[in-house]
Amino acid sequence: MDFLNEDVIELILDHCGGWWQRDIARLARVSPAWTRPAQLRLFASPSLFTFNACNLLARTLEDNTRLRELVRNLDLRPTSGESSSSIWILSGVMRLLAMTRLESLTLAEDLSVSAERFLRFIGSPQSLKALRIEGSRRWTWLEAPRASLEWSADLPLRFSNLQSLTLVGPLSLDVDGEQFDDSDLLSSPLQGCRLEELHLYDVELADSSDAIRTLLPSASSWRKIRALSITMHQLSQVATFNYESLFPLISESLETLVVRTQRESFTSIISIHELLTSVDAPIMMRNLRSLECAHIAVFLEDLQDVMPVIEQLDIDDMAYRLQRLDAFLSVIAEQRFSRLKRLILRGDRCSQESIAHNPEAISTLQSLCAQNKIIFKCLT
């Protein structure tokens, strides 16, 4: 198959998506013409699920500088019956992190326990743009160490170009915010990384941890954040994270906000409006275009003045229930959200109070949205 040039092979690989890594490895051995295009895909984003695989890849890259330069993303999810603190077991992981110039890194399974250990071994911290620490659900029923991360003050300075941070639990987060610069947002200099995206799923703050805003070294470090996702088991955790002190720092830049809590914890009402209200006055989210909420109260009549450019609303109907239906309909009818383009309601057929049990309300909403050129969906 040497008659195929590299451009044709690239088209074949791009056109036939969904290649398994083992398939690409076989293609690399078809002929010399296939080797380089296959290696580009095989080594760009390796996913490794055993410590032995980490050792084998580290040995391969150590012997081949050209292949080492291809690696841009690493997804490491090894598990072992032995202690993951063993130097011999971890040597492959440490060598991989030290020798590669990564743009994206995922640490999961055994590597999510005291994950800060491995962040120290990253050889090119300035190149890292996306970091994901992912706990394992098996720790919820096995007596095993739980995923955890100690976020010290030097990490955002070391990873100066980090743009996206994702923490997936169950995971315990301990933030050291002693050096946080709380000076005026406009006067304090930019320091360290300036996150554009922060995603927290089932993350608990350790008892000794500082507020979530101290993840970054200063108030001005938050001025580029565009997307924030918060998923908690309990509504009380939302308040525990002290998000009300974070929102004033990101009010000018935030474009997408997701706030979810678990259904079984919906025992009291905390509204999204309360989270966006400081001691003095509501916080104006000038550039917020998308809001998604589940099992947290969303009263549109309270939000119309703080989200002037909102374009998409995706909310669970536990947020408003039938007692707020009239107010909800009037907000849409009066076009108080002048830029709203998409409205998604997620109903609950198991609850008699749900709008899903009120076909008249659904029909009214459909008509109002059609009149105002709003795409409407009701998902149950």
Side-chain angles (χ1 to χ4, degrees), residues 51 79-90 110 117 145:
F51 284 103
T79 58
S80 172
E82 305 177 56
S83 171
S84 61
S85 61
S86 167
I87 296 298
W88 179 84
I89 291 179
L90 296 176
D110 287 9
R117 296 177 293 166

Side-chain angles (χ1 to χ4, degrees), residues 99-141:
M99 76 174 76
T100 51
R101 188 176 180 83
L102 298 175
E103 296 179 0
S104 173
L105 173 64
T106 295
L107 299 175
E109 297 295 342
D110 287 9
L111 302 187
S112 66
V113 179
S114 299
E116 68 280 353
R117 296 177 293 166
F118 307 103
L119 300 182
R120 308 294 178 186
F121 289 100
I122 296 177
S124 300
Q126 297 84 6
S127 67
L128 194 67
K129 296 180 180 179
L131 174 63
R132 180 183 179 95
I133 311 293
E134 186 173 329
S136 174
R137 289 292 171 184
R138 64 191 176 95
W139 289 319
T140 61
W141 53 274

Side-chain angles (χ1 to χ4, degrees), residues 22-32 34-35 38 42:
R22 62 175 179 265
D23 296 328
I24 298 178
R26 293 190 185 102
L27 290 172
R29 298 191 292 270
V30 168
S31 75
W34 284 83
T35 301
L42 192 61

Side-chain angles (χ1 to χ4, degrees), residues 190 194-197 220-227 253:
L190 291 174
R194 295 170 291 280
L195 290 179
E196 296 182 10
E197 298 181 4
S220 59
S221 301
W222 288 99
R223 66 174 62 168
K224 285 194 173 183
I225 196 82
R226 295 183 296 103
S253 60

Side-chain angles (χ1 to χ4, degrees), residues 156-157 162 180-181 184-185 188-196 213 215-225 249-250 253:
L157 301 177
L162 190 66
F180 181 77
D181 181 4
D184 181 74
L185 181 63
S188 59
L190 291 174
Q191 303 179 54
C193 68
R194 295 170 291 280
L195 290 179
E196 296 182 10
R213 68 193 174 103
L215 268 174
L216 300 186
S218 68
S220 59
S221 301
W222 288 99
R223 66 174 62 168
K224 285 194 173 183
I225 196 82
L249 306 182
I250 62 178
S253 60

Side-chain angles (χ1 to χ4, degrees), residues 159-191:
F159 300 107
S160 57
N161 292 309
L162 190 66
Q163 298 175 2
S164 175
L165 176 63
T166 302
L167 304 179
V168 181
L171 182 145
S172 175
L173 174 63
D174 191 352
V175 182
D176 176 12
E178 290 186 3
Q179 301 180 28
F180 181 77
D181 181 4
D182 207 5
S183 57
D184 181 74
L185 181 63
L186 297 178
S187 62
S188 59
L190 291 174
Q191 303 179 54

Side-chain angles (χ1 to χ4, degrees), residues 255-358:
E255 297 177 5
T256 301
L257 175 61
V258 179
V259 182
R260 303 189 191 97
T261 60
Q262 298 299 317
R263 182 179 300 275
E264 58 268 23
S265 67
F266 197 85
T267 56
S268 61
I269 293 179
I270 295 179
S271 72
I272 192 68
H273 183 259
E274 291 178 87
L275 290 178
L276 299 178
T277 303
S278 64
V279 176
D280 300 322
I283 301 166
M284 178 69 75
M285 310 299 287
R286 301 182 186 278
N287 292 297
L288 190 68
R289 286 170 168 76
S290 177
L291 173 65
E292 179 180 340
C293 294
H295 309 120
I296 183 167
V298 180
F299 304 137
L300 296 187
E301 61 272 26
D302 295 332
L303 297 179
Q304 58 190 14
D305 295 328
V306 298
M307 300 180 181
V309 298
I310 196 76
E311 296 177 359
Q312 173 168 308
L313 286 170
D314 185 335
I315 52 182
D316 189 289
D317 72 356
M318 287 192 75
Y320 41 85
R321 295 295 185 170
L322 294 181
Q323 62 265 29
R324 309 281 302 201
L325 182 58
D326 290 341
F328 185 87
L329 293 175
S330 66
V331 168
I332 303 299
E334 297 170 14
Q335 302 183 45
R336 298 184 197 175
F337 292 94
S338 59
R339 301 195 184 185
L340 188 63
K341 298 177 181 178
R342 190 178 185 90
L343 175 63
I344 301 173
L345 303 184
R346 302 182 185 275
D348 177 13
R349 291 189 178 276
C350 297
S351 172
Q352 294 299 320
E353 294 183 355
S354 171
I355 284 185
H357 285 275
N358 191 328

